[in-house]
Amino acid sequence: MAVAASRAPCPPIKVRFMHTGLIHSIDFDADGKQSGHLRLPYSIDRSPYFHIHVPICRIRNGAGPRVLLMAGNHGDEYEGELLLARLMRRLAPAAVRGEITILPMVNVPAVMAARRRSPYDDGNLNRAFPGSADGTPTARIAHFLEHDLFRRHDVVFDLHAGGTSMAHLPCALIEQQGPPERFARALQLMQALAMPYGFVAENGAAAPTSMGAAARAGAIGISGEFGGGATVTRETMRLTARAIDNLLIATGAIAAPVLSEADRPAEPMQLLALDSHDQAIYATRRGWFEPVADVGDRVAAGDLAGYYHDLTRLDLPEEALHFGQGGIVISRRLHTDSEAGDCLIQVARPVAAGDLAAPQADIGG
Ligand SMILES: [Zn+2]
């Protein structure tokens, strides 16, 4: 079994222990194309010496931009998973300048279970950063990404969607992270994706998300919600393929599209800000949600968002739900049956690039 020496600047990854950590045989200094697995020892009932195999593809062609592409952070979000797998098959080293690392199913147990979270530990990878080298599988994946893999790259692109229970406006996403010049570059790269919408989230420097982790690792984090409902459509695949190609072209890692056809010119990206829990309507009790607005609608504060029915109290009229803030509807719950705490519908505030305050430069390079 090949055990790769860790070259992470800090802190060292424990790779030699038999029951913790993460092992792989990728040589990050080698030119060419390598396909393999990140392997996590995890003893289970049917296989005491079981390893979870996370597929990884590494393409390097000399010095140049260093880009990490990942999907399957949540298992039931498919545009990125399908397109990054296709990119692994299509991309040849000769077409690349610099380094591209591809993880099409980063939390592979969640992908194989068609779930948001890993069935082994119920771990939500996008809430697991910075993780732990000797924790559960999801914590170990998070730890390796933040402390090793992200540090080797200039740009981390993590592709999401709404998942099984949620419809989402297809949009690019960045967090207010890192020093101002890096945030400015992140905004530039997000706009280069040519998605119809891009939103900027404020999750704080200690965010347990991949974008928080990328910032702490000194990389530019780019993300997006490219579809929803645990499915893909021709349109979401078209937009996502173009976004992946555009990011790689904008960084200089490739010169010509690999996944997308020559396309009609994109409309300018509408920037959106999501910065308050008041932008969402949450269920406060068991009920059945009937939306009257859909993703992409422009709404004003006070507009009717939908009705909340109570099938256990047929004598009661359905409750009218109104938006607390105006904006563009970016997501809504797809499952009608809802419980207290479920986010039913959410709006984001349209903004201009100049309105976005630069984040505080409180994170080291
Ligand atoms: Zn996700």
Side-chain angles (χ1 to χ4, degrees):
M1 179 173 66
V3 177
S6 171
R7 296 190 190 83
C10 69
I13 303 293
K14 295 173 186 171
V15 293
R16 294 190 183 83
F17 298 146
M18 293 300 289
H19 304 304
T20 57
L22 180 154
I23 53 183
H24 64 78
S25 56
I26 298 293
D27 180 350
F28 284 94
D29 296 327
D31 276 338
K33 185 172 184 176
Q34 303 171 71
S35 289
H37 295 96
L38 309 174
R39 295 157 52 163
L40 295 98
Y42 191 60
S43 186
I44 57 175
D45 290 346
R46 49 166 292 279
S47 188
Y49 300 140
F50 185 62
H51 282 183
I52 295 168
H53 284 186
V54 179
I56 181 169
C57 178
R58 167 90 179 157
I59 300 168
R60 188 176 188 277
N61 186 12
R66 305 174 303 164
V67 183
L68 173 67
L69 306 171
M70 58 186 264
N73 179 328
H74 294 132
D76 58 350
E77 303 176 355
Y78 294 105
E79 285 82 3
E81 294 168 23
L82 301 184
L83 286 164
L84 294 189
R86 180 176 290 161
L87 187 68
M88 280 175 61
R89 294 188 291 272
R90 282 194 186 172
L91 196 55
V96 173
R97 186 175 71 84
E99 309 172 14
I100 299 176
T101 307
I102 307 171
L103 294 165
M105 296 181 281
V106 67
N107 202 358
V108 67
V111 176
M112 289 302 152
R115 285 183 50 183
R116 182 173 184 81
R117 300 175 302 150
S118 170
Y120 291 129
D121 52 17
D122 284 336
N124 179 343
L125 180 57
N126 218 33
R127 303 290 182 272
F129 295 94
S132 158
D134 53 7
T136 62
T138 304
R140 277 188 268 160
I141 294 168
H143 187 265
F144 179 76
L145 293 176
E146 178 162 342
H147 297 90
D148 186 317
L149 209 50
F150 286 2
R151 291 166 192 259
R152 301 176 184 277
H153 294 85
D154 308 311
V155 176
V156 170
F157 186 25
D158 184 17
L159 291 105
H160 286 255
T164 303
S165 71
M166 194 163 72
H168 207 291
L169 191 66
C171 59
L173 182 158
I174 55 174
E175 287 185 6
Q176 291 260 15
Q177 295 282 7
E181 63 278 9
R182 206 196 300 151
F183 178 69
R185 179 64 176 151
L187 192 57
Q188 234 175 29
L189 287 176
M190 179 172 82
Q191 289 174 311
L193 301 183
M195 292 291 288
Y197 298 93
F199 81 80
V200 180
E202 293 193 42
N203 294 331
T209 59
S210 62
M211 296 296 95
R216 292 187 293 272
I220 293 170
I222 311 285
S223 187
E225 308 286 353
F226 292 92
T231 189
V232 300
T233 67
R234 185 171 64 177
E235 180 64 1
T236 62
M237 290 294 276
R238 183 184 76 82
L239 290 172
T240 312
R242 188 175 69 179
I244 295 167
D245 277 338
N246 283 345
L247 180 80
L248 292 174
I249 291 169
T251 57
I254 60 173
V258 178
L259 294 170
S260 56
E261 306 295 323
D263 216 332
R264 58 182 183 266
E267 300 290 314
M269 177 182 281
Q270 170 65 61
L271 292 176
L272 302 168
L274 191 60
D275 42 25
S276 159
H277 287 292
D278 297 339
Q279 289 168 300
I281 298 175
Y282 282 84
T284 55
R285 56 189 163 81
R286 175 83 187 275
W288 287 261
F289 177 50
E290 173 197 353
V292 301
D294 211 341
V295 293
D297 286 356
R298 278 182 180 268
V299 299
D303 280 359
L304 184 66
Y307 297 100
Y308 207 56
H309 298 251
D310 187 343
L311 295 178
T312 70
R313 288 294 309 274
L314 300 181
D315 55 313
L316 296 179
E318 60 267 36
E319 180 189 353
L321 301 176
H322 298 273
F323 290 106
Q325 291 195 22
I328 292 174
V329 178
I330 59 164
S331 71
R332 76 163 177 88
R333 182 169 170 78
L334 287 169
H335 292 180
T336 304
D337 188 344
S338 303
E339 294 181 12
D342 286 335
C343 182
L344 301 177
I345 195 161
Q346 189 171 40
V347 299
R349 185 167 51 87
V351 291
D355 298 340
L356 296 168
Q360 296 302 306
D362 56 358
I363 305 169

